[in-house]
Amino acid sequence: SEKSKELDDILCPANPPVSAADSAEARRLYEEGLRKAQDGDSEALELILEATEIDPNCVDALVALASTLFRMDAEKNSDQFFTLADQAYRADPNHPKARRIASNAYLLKGKMALDVEDWQKAVRSFKRSFELDPNRENLSAFRYCAEKAHEIGVFVDACETRLKEQPDDDEVRFKLGRALVVMACEIMSDPDRESTKIELLRTTITMRSSVTS
C-alpha cells in the first residue's frame, strides 16, 4: 500500500547513487565471484564483498552475501545478515530477490522473538515477512503468534489485504477462515457484540465454502 511504502521510505531511505562506471565494475566483480564460487574458489566471497563496497545498490551481490551468511549460521551472523538484507531492500524495494531476502530477515527476527515469547515483536516481524514475500512458513508463524498475542485482528487485516492482491491464494483464504472463527469465539460471551459475532460467522462460512468449492 502507499502508506506502507511511505513508512518504508522513512525507515529505509534509498542507498546513495553511484556512477555508471562503479556500477559496471561492481557487476563485473559480482559475476566473477559467482564463477569462482561455482569452481569452489575461496576468493569468490571477497570479490562479491568488494562489489557491494563499490556499489551499495548491487542487489544481486548484496543478496548473495546475505544468503551465504544465512546458510552458514543465520543466528550467529544475524546482525550482518539483517544489515545486508536491509541494504538490498533499500537498493530496490521491488526487486524479487531483495524482497525475498528482506522477508527472510524478518522471518528470522520473528523466530528469535518467538523463542523468548515476545509475542508482539514476533507478530510485527512475521507480518512484515508475510507482506514482503508471502509463503506458508511466515503465514503459519504469523497466525500462531497473532493468537498468542491476542492480535488476531492484525492477522485478519493482513490476509484480507493479500487476498485483494491475489484472490486465488487458497492457503491465505483458509487461514483467514480459521482466524475469523477464533475472533468469533473471543466475542461469544459478549452480548453487546452479537451482531459482530453473527457477521464474523457468516463471513467465515462464506470463506470456507469458497476454498472447498
Side-chain angles (χ1 to χ4, degrees):
S1 67
E2 284 301 315
K3 186 175 181 180
S4 296
K5 184 179 184 302
E6 289 173 6
L7 183 60
D8 285 338
D9 290 341
I10 294 171
L11 297 178
C12 303
N15 295 332
V18 298
S19 69
D22 281 345
S23 180
E25 174 63 8
R27 188 74 198 178
R28 185 191 69 77
L29 289 169
Y30 163 69
E31 291 176 351
E32 185 180 348
L34 277 189
R35 287 193 293 272
K36 287 184 178 293
Q38 291 169 355
D39 295 335
D41 192 325
S42 59
E43 188 187 358
L45 206 56
E46 293 178 17
L47 289 169
I48 295 174
L49 177 60
E50 187 179 351
T52 66
E53 292 171 345
I54 292 174
D55 181 5
N57 296 306
C58 188
V59 172
D60 287 331
L62 291 164
V63 170
L65 271 183
S67 299
T68 300
L69 291 173
F70 187 79
R71 288 193 298 269
M72 287 169 58
D73 190 330
E75 292 200 19
K76 182 179 178 181
N77 300 314
S78 59
D79 288 344
Q80 290 172 287
F81 173 61
F82 294 150
T83 298
L84 288 166
D86 176 67
Q87 194 174 341
Y89 181 70
R90 283 188 286 116
D92 187 351
N94 295 314
H95 195 297
K97 287 184 180 180
R99 295 183 69 84
R100 193 171 301 118
I101 201 68
S103 174
N104 286 340
Y106 279 102
L107 183 67
L108 178 57
K109 289 181 181 181
K111 288 178 178 178
M112 293 168 72
L114 188 155
D115 287 343
V116 296
E117 298 186 356
D118 186 342
W119 303 118
Q120 280 73 29
K121 184 175 181 179
V123 168
R124 291 194 301 271
S125 297
F126 288 133
K127 176 178 183 288
R128 192 65 184 122
S129 175
F130 174 71
E131 289 171 340
L132 287 166
D133 184 37
N135 58 64
R136 180 170 294 183
E137 185 177 10
N138 55 31
L139 176 65
S140 297
F142 182 16
R143 177 180 173 272
Y144 174 77
C145 292
E147 287 191 29
K148 287 288 188 179
H150 301 289
E151 293 187 7
I152 198 68
V154 174
F155 178 78
V156 167
D157 289 345
C159 286
E160 289 179 339
T161 298
R162 168 64 178 171
L163 288 173
K164 288 177 183 176
E165 300 169 351
Q166 197 70 37
D168 61 349
D169 193 330
D170 289 341
E171 183 75 18
V172 171
R173 191 175 296 278
F174 176 73
K175 286 288 197 302
L176 173 59
R178 295 186 64 179
L180 288 169
V181 170
V182 171
M183 287 183 68
C185 290
E186 286 180 350
I187 63 173
M188 278 290 186
S189 60
D190 188 347
D192 295 332
R193 300 178 68 183
E194 186 67 25
S195 60
T196 302
K197 176 175 61 180
I198 293 171
E199 184 59 32
L200 278 170
L201 290 173
R202 182 182 296 118
T203 303
T204 299
I205 292 170
T206 302
M207 295 289 295
R208 291 200 163 188
S209 298
S210 66
V211 172
T212 55
S213 61

